[in-house]
Amino acid sequence: MAGVWLKRIALTLLAGILVAVLALIGWIWQPYDPEAWRVRLPVAGGVEVRVVPLLMMATSAPGRWALDRQAFSLNHGDIQLHDEDGLRVRCRHCWIEAKSVSDQPIVIPMLELWLQMDQQHIHGYLSVGDTQPLFKVDFNGKVSMRSLKLTWQLPSTQLQALLKPLQPHSAVIREAIVSGSLTASGTLRWPKQEWSAQPQLNAMAVSGLNIRAATTLPIQYDCPLLDEHKYPEKMQWVPYENLGRWLPVAAIIAEDAEFKHHPGYVMAQMQHLLGKESTDKQVGGSTITQQLAKYMFTNGERTWKRKVEELLYAVQLESALTKTDILELYLNTVDLGPSLCGAHAASRYYFDLTPDKLNPIQAAWLAGIISNPHRAWKKQYIQQQPDLTRAESILHFMPRSARKAPGSLNFRPVKQPDNLQ
C-alpha cells in the first residue's frame, strides 16, 4: 500500500514539474503576444522568445544561483556569469561590428554588465576595460513586455580613455594626444533603437597631429575635385583680404553661426549627432573648422570614425590658427561644384567675377549651396533656374548695407563641360 502511495506522489510531483516547466516555457514564448520585445535563441532553428521573462528569471535569486559561475563561448566573446547581489555578465575578448566606425570589428578586452531587477524597475552599469575600467556607464529605468526605457549617465571620464577602443582602427586617433574629459547623460529605448545624449566636454585640448599642411606657408593643398578637362578654372589661392566683404560673412551665416566663438565644435551639434531618432539618420553637421579638417586631412567618408578624426583636427587647428586664418583656408578649399574648389574657381565659373567683386546676393547664393553644391550646379546653374530662397534667408542676417543693395545674381552663361553629367 505504501508503495502505491509513493508512486502516486512521485507521479504527481513529476506532473507538477512538467506543468510548471510547460507553463514557464509558455510564459517565455507566448506566441499570442505579437507586440512583445523578443530575441532569437540559437536553439530549435532560432526560437523567438520574450526578453522580459528571461531577464526576470536570470536576475531572480534562483536564477542567479543556477547561473553562478557558468561560462560559455559565443561568436562575440567568452561569457562568464556571476551571482553578485544581481547578475554580473563578463565578456572577455568581446568584439562588436560597427561599420560606421571601422570595417574591422572593434575588440574590447573586457566588457562587464551588472544589473538588478525589482518587478518592472531595472538598474545597473556597463563598464569597458580590462584590469581597470576605461569608462563606466550607469543606468536605471523601467522594463515592460514591449520595451526597455532607460536613463543613463557617464560620469566625468578622460577623453583619452574613451578613445582607446578606437585607436587600432585609426592612425589619427592613435597619434592624437588628447586631454580633457567628457560627462554625458541621456536616454535609451529598446527595441525601437532610439536614444538621446547630452554630452559636455571639459577642457578638451589636442596635440600630436600633423597639421603642417594648414599652418606652413605656402599652404599645401591639392584639390581632389579638380578635373581640368571639364572646367578651365584652376584653383587659385586668395588671401583673406581679397575674399571681399560679403562672402566670408555669408559663409559664417550659412554654415556656422557660432564660428567666432566656439573652440572647433558646438555642443548642440554634438548632442544632435549623438542622439538617434531613427535607424536611417545621416551622419552630418559640422562647424567650419571641422569641414576644413575634412577637406584637408580626412577622406570625407560619412562615418563616425571620420567625425571623431575631424573633431580632433578641428580642436588642434583652433589652437594653432586664428579664426581669420581658418576662414581663409576654408573658403579656398570648400567644394562649390564639380571640379570647383574654393571661392576663386566658383566665383569665376558661376559669375565671371573674382570673390572681392561679388555682390551680397551672389555671395549669399554661393554660401547657400555649400551644403549641396553639385545639386545646385545641376539644378540651378546648368538649367539657368536659380532658386534664391536659401540666399535670401542668408541675406536676411547680413549687414544692413547688404540688405539695402543686394544686387542681382546674374549667372554667367552656361559653360558646357567636356563630359556633362
Side-chain angles (χ1 to χ4, degrees), residues 194-206:
E194 295 178 353
W195 61 81
S196 67
Q198 293 80 45
Q200 182 61 56
L201 285 170
N202 303 299
M204 181 179 182
V206 179

Side-chain angles (χ1 to χ4, degrees), residues 109-121:
M110 172 71 83
L111 186 147
E112 181 175 281
L113 171 69
W114 178 84
L115 56 88
Q116 277 187 337
M117 279 189 68
D118 180 10
Q119 295 181 346
Q120 289 186 314
H121 295 275

Side-chain angles (χ1 to χ4, degrees), residues 14 29 82 84 99 113 120 154 156 206 234 248 270 275 278-280 311-312 315 327 348 350 364 375 383 387:
L14 288 173
W29 181 37
H82 300 272
E84 297 184 22
K99 294 296 185 182
L113 171 69
Q120 289 186 314
L154 174 73
S156 183
V206 179
K234 302 292 192 301
M270 293 183 64
S278 65
T279 55
D280 60 352
L311 172 63
L312 297 176
V315 173
L327 196 54
R348 291 285 299 169
Y350 290 117
R375 178 179 174 82
Q383 297 181 13
D387 181 354

Side-chain angles (χ1 to χ4, degrees), residues 158-328:
Q158 293 299 307
L159 290 169
Q160 196 76 50
L162 288 168
L163 293 173
K164 190 171 181 178
L166 300 180
Q167 289 177 350
H169 305 276
S170 167
V172 172
I173 297 175
R174 282 196 302 275
E175 293 166 3
I177 302 170
V178 185
S179 60
S181 61
L182 174 71
T183 303
S185 60
T187 60
L188 170 67
R189 296 188 67 182
W190 210 264
K192 287 188 175 181
Q193 299 186 35
E194 295 178 353
W195 61 81
S196 67
Q198 293 80 45
Q200 182 61 56
L201 285 170
N202 303 299
M204 181 179 182
V206 179
S207 61
L209 298 179
N210 182 3
I211 58 171
R212 288 192 297 272
T215 57
T216 304
L217 296 176
I219 300 300
Q220 303 166 38
Y221 182 73
D222 294 321
C223 175
L225 305 170
L226 192 59
D227 183 351
E228 59 188 33
H229 297 294
K230 275 191 175 183
Y231 303 106
E233 278 72 26
K234 302 292 192 301
M235 182 182 176
Q236 180 175 318
W237 203 269
V238 181
Y240 183 83
E241 57 269 20
N242 293 337
L243 286 169
R245 180 181 180 186
W246 304 123
L247 186 57
V249 173
I252 291 173
I253 294 170
E255 290 296 302
D256 190 355
E258 299 182 50
F259 171 69
K260 293 185 178 180
H261 308 288
H262 64 60
Y265 57 88
V266 175
M267 292 308 305
Q269 287 182 352
M270 293 183 64
Q271 179 176 330
H272 172 72
L273 288 171
L274 290 172
K276 182 172 182 179
E277 292 78 38
S278 65
T279 55
D280 60 352
K281 181 175 178 179
Q282 295 293 318
V283 180
S286 299
T287 64
I288 279 176
T289 319
Q290 287 170 303
Q291 292 181 55
L292 173 63
K294 177 181 71 174
Y295 295 132
M296 297 202 71
F297 301 112
T298 71
N299 57 21
E301 293 177 355
R302 295 176 70 84
T303 65
W304 287 109
K305 180 179 72 173
R306 191 263 293 172
K307 297 299 292 185
V308 172
E309 292 174 348
E310 287 173 11
L311 172 63
L312 297 176
Y313 273 118
V315 173
Q316 186 168 336
L317 285 169
E318 288 277 350
S319 66
L321 300 169
T322 67
K323 292 289 186 179
T324 299
D325 292 335
I326 291 171
L327 196 54
E328 177 184 322

Side-chain angles (χ1 to χ4, degrees), residues 281-419:
K281 181 175 178 179
Q282 295 293 318
V283 180
S286 299
T287 64
I288 279 176
T289 319
Q290 287 170 303
Q291 292 181 55
L292 173 63
K294 177 181 71 174
Y295 295 132
M296 297 202 71
F297 301 112
T298 71
N299 57 21
E301 293 177 355
R302 295 176 70 84
T303 65
W304 287 109
K305 180 179 72 173
R306 191 263 293 172
K307 297 299 292 185
V308 172
E309 292 174 348
E310 287 173 11
L311 172 63
L312 297 176
Y313 273 118
V315 173
Q316 186 168 336
L317 285 169
E318 288 277 350
S319 66
L321 300 169
T322 67
K323 292 289 186 179
T324 299
D325 292 335
I326 291 171
L327 196 54
E328 177 184 322
L329 288 164
Y330 176 72
L331 289 174
N332 277 285
T333 56
V334 64
D335 176 6
L336 285 164
S339 297
L340 298 173
C341 251
H344 180 270
S347 299
R348 291 285 299 169
Y349 180 80
Y350 290 117
F351 305 113
D352 199 18
L353 298 170
T354 54
D356 59 320
K357 295 297 192 294
L358 295 175
N359 63 37
I361 196 67
Q362 290 169 334
W365 184 85
L366 268 186
I369 70 170
I370 290 174
S371 59
N372 201 337
H374 297 256
R375 178 179 174 82
W377 168 82
K378 184 176 181 180
K379 297 294 185 181
Q380 298 187 53
Y381 175 71
I382 293 298
Q383 297 181 13
Q384 292 287 289
Q385 295 180 354
D387 181 354
L388 296 181
T389 304
R390 173 71 169 148
E392 289 173 348
S393 69
I394 294 169
L395 185 66
H396 176 75
F397 293 98
M398 291 174 71
R400 184 178 179 183
S401 56
R403 300 196 303 271
K404 288 182 66 176
S408 301
L409 198 62
N410 295 331
F411 273 151
R412 182 182 189 176
V414 174
K415 300 178 65 179
Q416 296 295 337
D418 295 338
N419 299 299

